[in-house]
């Protein structure tokens, strides 16, 4: 039989080849593990995936009843309708995302699996780690964009849970093309916190790194950044910034067999290094193979099919929590280093995932101050 899989992909400034990257990762997982698998991909480009046209595209596919599975990004403002649509038609959906926002109860149903990179959970773990290892006083430097979602709230919750105190929240300009961070830097120099939490990405992230590198406290006050701020494919030149860490569920310099195999196979197939979007696509491919029944079909209730069967992925073991979201077994504290003419995120500590089911319920109360992008920083 031929599996009919719809893939709904947005455009991106931060990852301009997002569609290609995701599909390359997805197909690599299927081709290397099951080369004889017969799959037909129905590719739909969805813009920013934040307009009603996304839902219309999905409903057309569902009415025609020709797909076995849909995979897609969706903006926060449409998630309720997006997941309800597939629940109504009883068709499986893997909603992919970087995981900057908490999954709400109304977005949970057995036909939807939320497969993410768990960024807000890693921010919570980063807050705990920072308070326990750097000190109890923190200052925030955050973009008006990346500081939203649930990233700042998660770090603050973790930091304060471990006895920390937030001295000040410094928010960047709404016009992200402005790169004057003078007031932010001055407030850090005045307060002398034990740690700085930095929530920026893409071009803003590159610019804030340069400004922090020029500050008097460079190297003396540790910077705990969000993972996208230390992305290796965006930070090309050495900014001179020192003592920068991040917490994430992956590291491309991880020496584990699974991560090395993924990277080597990707390089052999495409003659380039994978990025986080490729990694996300690859693991979604692993989910498909993991969920597939002996007769080759895919179960409609896809989240239930893998809930008690953890995946072995390049990020380690990945399970599913009560919100039907992927749940990594651990997070990594990574040191941002410029080595061999390129940046790398080196693991310096491994943390058990601290986000319990009780916390998932507690965090349901958080408002979501996002910009309604299909994922953090389009």
């Amino acid at each position: 039989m031929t599996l009919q899989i719809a893939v709904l992909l947005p455009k991106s400034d931060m990852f301009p080849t997002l569609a290609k990257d995701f599909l390359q990762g997805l197909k690599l997982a299927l081709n290397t593990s099951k080369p004889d698998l017969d799959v037909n991909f129905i590719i739909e480009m969805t813009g920013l995936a934040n307009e009603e046209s996304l839902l219309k595209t999905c409903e057309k596919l569902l009415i025609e009843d020709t797909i076995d599975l849909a995979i897609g990004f969706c903006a926060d403002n449409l998630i309720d309708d997006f997941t309800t649509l597939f629940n109504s038609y009883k068709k499986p959906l893997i909603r992919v995302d970087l995981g900057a926002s908490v999954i709400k109860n109304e977005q949970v149903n057995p036909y939807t699996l939320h497969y993410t990179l768990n960024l807000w959970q890693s921010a919570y773990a980063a807050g705990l780690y920072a308070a326990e290892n750097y000190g109890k006083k923190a200052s925030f430097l955050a973009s008006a964009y990346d500081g939203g979602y649930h990233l700042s709230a998660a770090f603050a919750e973790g930091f304060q849970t471990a006895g920390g105190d937030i001295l000040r929240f410094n928010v960047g300009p709404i016009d992200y093309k402005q790169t004057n961070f003078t007031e932010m830097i001055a407030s850090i120099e005045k307060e002398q916190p034990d740690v700085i939490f930095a929530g920026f990405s893409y071009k803003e992230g590159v610019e804030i790194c340069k400004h922090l590198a020029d500050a008097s406290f460079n190297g003396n006050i540790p910077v705990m950044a969000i993972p996208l701020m230390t992305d290796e494919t965006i930070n090309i030149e050495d900014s001179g910034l020192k003592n920068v860490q991040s917490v994430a569920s992956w590291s491309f310099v991880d020496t584990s067999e699974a991560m090395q195999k993924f990277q080597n196979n990707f390089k052999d197939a495409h003659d380039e290094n994978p990025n986080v979007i490729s990694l996300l696509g690859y693991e979604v491919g692993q989910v498909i193979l993991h969920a597939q029944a002996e007769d080759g079909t895919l179960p409609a209730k896809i989240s239930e099919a893998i809930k008690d069967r953890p995946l072995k992925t390049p990020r380690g073991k990945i399970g599913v929590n009560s919100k039907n979201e992927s749940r990594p077994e651990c997070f990594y504290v990574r040191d941002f280093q410029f080595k061999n003419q390129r940046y790398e995120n080196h693991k310096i500590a491994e943390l058990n995932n601290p986000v319990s089911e009780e916390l998932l319920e507690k965090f349901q109360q958080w408002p979501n101050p996002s910009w309604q992008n299909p994922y953090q920083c389009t």
Side-chain angles (χ1 to χ4, degrees):
M1 66 172 289
T2 301
L3 283 177
Q4 303 289 339
I5 300 178
V7 188
L8 311 162
L9 296 166
K11 67 178 183 179
S12 169
D13 291 333
M14 183 173 179
F15 298 104
T17 57
L18 180 145
K20 175 182 74 92
D21 298 336
F22 186 85
L23 286 170
Q24 284 179 342
L26 175 63
K27 292 177 180 179
L28 179 68
L30 301 180
N31 292 339
T32 54
S33 296
K34 207 169 186 178
D36 59 341
L37 184 65
D38 191 5
V39 182
N40 178 47
F41 292 106
I42 303 161
I43 311 299
E44 297 283 352
M45 299 306 297
T46 58
L48 290 180
N50 63 351
E51 298 179 354
E52 292 290 326
S53 57
L54 170 66
L55 302 178
K56 291 178 181 178
T57 297
C58 292
E59 189 147 29
K60 182 176 181 292
L61 291 167
L62 292 166
I63 290 172
E64 292 172 348
D65 197 25
T66 56
I67 62 170
D68 299 296
L69 170 70
I71 304 166
F73 291 80
C74 174
D76 286 347
N77 63 315
L78 291 180
I79 294 178
D80 290 7
D81 293 334
F82 191 50
T83 55
T84 297
L85 189 59
F86 283 86
N87 188 44
S88 299
Y89 280 88
K90 296 180 170 54
K91 284 285 188 178
L93 166 69
I94 301 177
R95 186 186 75 86
V96 289
D97 193 83
L98 299 190
S101 300
V102 172
I103 304 298
K104 300 297 186 179
N105 289 331
E106 51 269 26
Q107 298 157 5
V108 178
N109 69 69
Y111 300 96
T112 299
L113 173 66
H114 301 274
Y115 203 89
T116 81
L117 295 181
N118 310 94
L119 291 189
W120 79 261
Q121 298 171 41
S122 67
Y124 177 79
L128 289 173
Y129 181 87
E132 292 166 355
N133 292 272
Y134 301 142
K136 303 301 184 183
K137 297 185 298 179
S139 288
F140 266 70
L141 301 181
S143 161
Y145 300 88
D146 301 300
Y149 306 91
H150 290 124
L151 296 176
S152 294
F155 180 89
E157 182 75 20
F159 193 72
Q160 291 167 337
T161 295
D165 180 38
I166 309 297
L167 301 178
R168 182 193 292 264
F169 284 87
N170 297 279
V171 181
I174 292 293
D175 182 359
Y176 65 89
K177 294 180 182 178
Q178 292 184 19
T179 56
N180 187 348
F181 301 110
T182 303
E183 290 186 13
M184 286 188 172
I185 302 299
S187 73
I188 300 295
E189 291 177 333
K190 178 181 178 181
E191 292 157 359
Q192 290 294 304
D194 298 314
V195 61
I196 300 165
F197 176 75
F200 295 84
S201 68
Y202 195 34
K203 294 179 181 179
E204 261 191 309
V206 173
E207 286 300 319
I208 192 65
C209 282
K210 293 176 182 177
H211 283 75
L212 289 170
D214 291 337
S216 61
F217 52 79
N218 181 22
N220 296 322
I221 302 176
V223 176
M224 180 61 80
I226 61 173
L228 290 184
M229 184 169 161
T230 67
D231 185 88
E232 303 93 335
T233 62
I234 293 168
N235 293 276
I236 306 300
E237 299 178 356
D238 185 3
S239 67
L241 182 59
K242 302 174 182 177
N243 201 6
V244 182
Q245 287 82 46
S246 63
V247 175
S249 57
W250 74 93
S251 168
F252 285 118
V253 289
D254 183 359
T255 57
S256 70
E257 182 181 354
M259 178 58 85
Q260 290 299 307
K261 179 181 178 182
F262 161 62
Q263 293 194 83
N264 291 337
N265 287 343
F266 192 93
K267 289 176 187 175
D268 289 345
H270 304 294
D271 196 30
E272 63 181 356
N273 292 317
N275 60 16
V276 292
I277 303 298
S278 315
L279 175 63
L280 192 56
Y282 183 83
E283 291 192 6
V284 168
Q286 290 185 294
V287 170
I288 293 171
L289 296 174
H290 202 57
Q292 197 175 24
E294 290 186 7
D295 63 1
T297 60
L298 288 172
K301 296 182 178 180
I302 192 160
S303 60
E304 292 185 356
I306 66 168
K307 183 158 272 187
D308 298 319
R309 301 164 56 210
L311 280 164
K312 293 181 179 179
T313 77
R315 291 190 289 155
K317 284 187 178 180
I318 304 289
V320 178
N321 63 28
S322 64
K323 307 306 175 189
N324 291 348
E325 181 184 14
S326 53
R327 184 185 190 278
E329 191 174 74
C330 60
F331 292 108
Y332 308 113
V333 183
R334 313 174 315 167
D335 193 53
F336 194 43
Q337 302 176 11
F338 193 79
K339 298 179 67 174
N340 304 316
Q341 302 303 308
R342 64 189 298 263
Y343 269 110
E344 297 173 339
N345 286 287
H346 286 262
K347 288 166 52 177
I348 58 174
E350 186 172 312
L351 313 173
N352 290 329
N353 189 334
V355 181
S356 65
E357 294 296 330
E358 290 76 18
L359 282 175
L360 289 177
E361 290 303 322
K362 177 182 179 180
F363 297 160
Q364 290 293 308
Q365 304 167 23
W366 286 356
N368 187 356
S370 78
W371 288 87
Q372 311 305 342
N373 288 326
Y375 55 90
Q376 186 200 12
C377 191
T378 57

